[in-house]
Amino acid sequence: MKRILALLLCAVLLAGCVPSSVLDRFGITPFRDMDYVRPDPDAVRRVCDEAIALAGSSGDVQEILSGVWDYYDAYDRFSTACDLAYIHHHADLTDEFWQTEHDFCSEHYGYVDMLLEELYTALAESPMKDELEAEYFGTGYLDSYLGEPFYDEELLALYAREQELIAQFYTIGAECEAEAETDTWYDACALPLAEVLAELTLLRNQIARYVGYDSYTDYAWDFSFYRDYTPAQAQEYVEEIRRELVPLYENMQRMDVWASADEPCSEHEVLGFVKEAAQGVGGIVREAYTVMSLAGLFDISPDPNKSGLSFELYLDQYRMPYILISGTGTAYDRLAFAHEFGHFATDYAAGGSWAGTDVMEIFSQGMEYLSLCYAEAEEDFIRMKLADSLCTYVEQAAYADFELQLYMLPEGEITGEKLLALYEQVCEGYGFRSLDWDPRDMVTVPHFYELPHYVISYTVSNDAAMQLYEMELRAPGSGAECFAENLTTEAEGLMSFLKEAELKSPFVRIGEVKGIMEGYFGLSS
């Protein structure tokens, strides 16, 4: 069926027309037709209550599971509406309607997650538990939901406050963007934004303690990212990057490697670059690009009202991913789009990937590297991408090091001023003084505010993605084959995936990476 879909859609593209009947036939909703209606948490509550009642009273496994499916559908509708609000909000931070809807969704998302836990607890306590596990969940799956619940009203209030502070970060940033002059932006905005991060840090430490963790880092490692390497290993890794790669990074900054990144590049050219790369890789990746194009499941336009974030989301209700790029109108947009399209291809192939964050980032960065092999990429552009790769190792390691230290600070040292000072100290150790760099640019990194401890994923996954590129150069087609074969992986942990895909651990490769970079750029440390 998928093969027929791909052929039909490719034929439509070649014909230069997009009849809605083609999309309708295969159940594909164009983004323009995805209507937003504010989600109703009370309606989700009612569906959940009905499913809980069945879990306790019905002796029919299929009837109980039907109630579970109803809740899943209600949850998908809720989460998809919230994702649409998130997309529209980040596409235009000046739109007050989408700001309000995004804030509403953020406030209630934790509540809906709590309902899911209530349902699973009811299933775990059901007289039909063993039959439910045998039929669907798997033996022992529901055992973890016996005992004290994870969510309660106090925890939900803490999560809601976290979302309020994240919203403050974007609001203050937008107000500063409108009011402050370029040369005085940091003077006007850095400290207020740093104070928001300080308050978020204190709050997140409180959340971690509340749910039984010694530190927020441990909480994030387990609860948000399911990592199978430790924070201590990450700390050793970033310190090795600082020792071995920072001298090369500083030398590379004195080279003329960035000019091609700043060349003007139209949206049409950006689309063409990624289309060519997707067609070169072929198979499900080509099909993903075709569907994305037909259904308008992307926005790569440069727009000053965008948030500055680029991301991909899987819209559960429609069973389709969506990409938003905060475009710059330069050639670098080709890599940004290739990156998010790697996420799109993963979610499209898997029908919503269950892989862990570190693993999914391998495919996004892997698509960047493979685009160098399958799209028309000038030598200067390839050179820029490899320089960008060195920057990913060093700069994201610096960010990760900052966060690892940030969440170990004594409570009395968590102030906006002290965070700015810590950030400057850490980044100086990673060679940032070799850049045209303002040491207050901590406040321009959205991940610190919205996705704490995410950034280490970019570093470790970049290493695995670079291995795909090395494979492709040694044996054309082998990197693309490895990429495509593993798109549907459900591996949560990086190390388990690398073993499964027969790739090396990043923790043993820094010496090798150093040699590659020295050879390519003619650098030495």
Side-chain angles (χ1 to χ4, degrees):
M1 180 63 176
K2 280 200 167 186
R3 176 63 178 161
I4 295 171
L5 170 62
L7 290 173
L8 281 173
L9 293 179
C10 286
V12 170
L13 277 182
L14 291 172
C17 59
V18 187
S20 59
S21 59
V22 173
L23 299 179
D24 291 342
R25 180 177 175 185
F26 295 101
I28 300 169
T29 303
F31 184 73
R32 65 178 180 272
D33 294 338
M34 294 182 185
D35 294 328
Y36 173 82
V37 176
R38 174 179 280 196
D40 182 356
D42 292 332
V44 183
R45 166 90 266 177
R46 289 191 292 272
V47 176
C48 184
D49 286 344
E50 291 171 6
I52 288 172
L54 286 173
S57 63
S58 177
D60 184 334
V61 169
Q62 294 307 318
E63 185 179 27
I64 296 172
L65 287 176
S66 178
V68 173
W69 309 150
D70 287 344
Y71 179 78
Y72 286 168
D73 288 343
Y75 186 97
D76 285 350
R77 289 192 297 273
F78 185 94
S79 66
T80 299
C82 289
D83 286 343
L84 289 172
Y86 185 89
I87 289 166
H88 287 291
H89 169 58
H90 283 279
D92 185 358
L93 292 180
T94 68
D95 191 310
E96 293 183 4
F97 173 81
W98 289 115
Q99 171 77 62
T100 300
E101 295 308 297
H102 173 261
D103 291 348
F104 175 86
C105 289
S106 297
E107 179 184 350
H108 291 93
Y109 217 112
Y111 173 74
V112 176
D113 277 337
M114 181 186 73
L115 296 181
L116 180 60
E117 183 185 43
E118 286 185 17
L119 173 57
Y120 282 159
T121 300
L123 295 172
E125 295 171 349
S126 170
M128 302 296 290
K129 171 181 178 290
D130 292 342
E131 290 85 348
L132 288 165
E133 289 186 333
E135 179 70 20
Y136 178 71
F137 292 101
T139 302
Y141 178 85
L142 296 171
D143 289 345
S144 61
Y145 292 93
L146 295 169
E148 289 295 318
F150 179 80
Y151 291 100
D152 60 23
E153 293 300 326
E154 186 170 348
L155 181 58
L156 290 179
L158 293 173
Y159 283 148
R161 178 57 183 157
E162 182 182 29
Q163 292 303 319
E164 289 173 3
L165 289 170
I166 292 169
Q168 278 186 31
F169 163 67
Y170 285 108
T171 299
I172 293 171
E175 290 172 351
C176 282
E177 195 73 32
E179 296 174 9
E181 299 293 331
T182 302
D183 57 351
T184 61
W185 190 91
Y186 283 111
D187 294 335
C189 307
L191 188 56
L193 289 168
E195 293 291 359
V196 174
L197 183 57
E199 193 170 348
L200 273 167
T201 304
L202 290 166
L203 177 67
R204 285 167 176 156
N205 287 338
Q206 184 182 354
I207 289 171
R209 290 192 299 269
Y210 189 80
V211 297
Y213 283 88
D214 292 334
S215 72
Y216 182 80
T217 296
D218 290 336
Y219 163 85
W221 235 251
D222 288 350
F223 188 76
S224 301
F225 300 109
Y226 313 106
R227 288 181 171 133
D228 56 357
Y229 57 93
T230 66
Q233 285 177 286
Q235 187 69 63
E236 292 175 6
Y237 180 60
V238 298
E239 288 174 358
E240 185 179 10
I241 289 173
R242 181 173 53 80
R243 289 193 308 270
E244 300 297 329
L245 298 185
V246 166
L248 299 178
Y249 172 81
E250 292 176 318
N251 288 338
M252 184 267 293
Q253 297 298 341
R254 293 190 280 269
M255 302 175 65
D256 182 19
V257 294
W258 302 112
S260 64
D262 295 327
E263 291 178 0
C265 191
S266 69
E267 290 180 51
H268 178 74
E269 291 171 317
V270 172
L271 279 169
F273 179 82
V274 175
K275 177 182 178 181
E276 189 178 357
Q279 289 179 334
V281 175
I284 195 71
V285 177
R286 178 178 58 226
E287 183 181 315
Y289 183 88
T290 303
V291 171
M292 181 192 72
S293 300
L294 283 172
L297 295 166
F298 64 95
D299 174 2
I300 63 173
S301 62
D303 188 329
N305 290 333
K306 285 184 172 178
S307 69
L309 278 181
S310 295
F311 55 83
E312 176 265 359
L313 290 173
Y314 189 75
L315 302 169
D316 289 292
Q317 182 182 346
Y318 298 103
R319 303 293 184 257
M320 280 290 149
Y322 182 86
I323 291 173
L324 186 137
I325 302 291
S326 289
T328 63
T330 68
Y332 194 82
D333 289 350
R334 295 192 288 182
L335 291 180
F337 189 30
H339 181 103
E340 300 304 336
F341 177 70
H343 284 309
F344 188 103
T346 307
D347 266 336
Y348 179 81
S353 178
W354 287 92
T357 300
D358 294 339
V359 177
M360 288 192 288
E361 287 295 345
I362 293 171
F363 297 104
S364 57
Q365 299 195 79
M367 195 66 211
E368 289 186 57
Y369 283 107
L370 291 175
S371 73
L372 305 181
C373 303
Y374 288 99
E376 187 175 346
E378 308 83 359
E379 183 60 34
D380 285 348
F381 189 80
I382 295 173
R383 188 175 178 82
M384 180 273 292
K385 168 55 193 169
L386 292 180
D388 181 69
S389 178
L390 180 56
C391 289
T392 296
Y393 278 107
V394 172
E395 293 169 9
Q396 301 302 322
Y399 293 162
D401 197 349
F402 166 69
E403 287 194 300
L404 288 165
Q405 294 189 47
L406 168 63
Y407 287 99
M408 291 192 299
L409 287 174
E411 191 168 303
E413 294 185 23
I414 301 176
T415 67
E417 288 185 350
K418 290 187 179 294
L419 266 56
L420 287 167
L422 174 64
Y423 178 79
E424 180 176 5
Q425 174 190 335
V426 170
C427 291
E428 281 185 340
Y430 284 81
F432 279 35
R433 286 291 179 195
S434 61
L435 304 168
D436 182 15
W437 175 65
D438 190 300
R440 297 167 292 182
D441 75 1
M442 173 192 85
V443 300
T444 67
V445 183
H447 291 71
F448 295 156
Y449 294 82
E450 192 162 5
L451 298 165
H453 284 307
Y454 193 110
V455 291
I456 187 65
S457 294
Y458 291 126
T459 308
V460 295
S461 62
N462 179 61
D463 188 274
M466 189 173 175
Q467 292 181 58
L468 296 178
Y469 181 59
E470 293 167 30
M471 290 168 62
E472 191 69 30
L473 293 179
R474 287 194 300 269
S478 60
E481 182 180 2
C482 184
F483 177 92
E485 284 180 349
N486 288 288
L487 281 173
T488 57
T489 182
E490 294 184 1
E492 289 186 338
L494 173 74
M495 305 306 290
S496 61
F497 172 77
L498 294 176
K499 182 177 181 180
E500 174 187 308
E502 299 182 345
L503 298 171
K504 296 180 183 178
S505 163
F507 304 134
V508 300
R509 269 194 22 105
I510 292 302
E512 190 175 337
V513 170
K514 179 181 178 182
I516 291 170
M517 293 296 180
E518 284 178 336
Y520 188 83
F521 290 105
L523 294 170
S524 65
S525 54

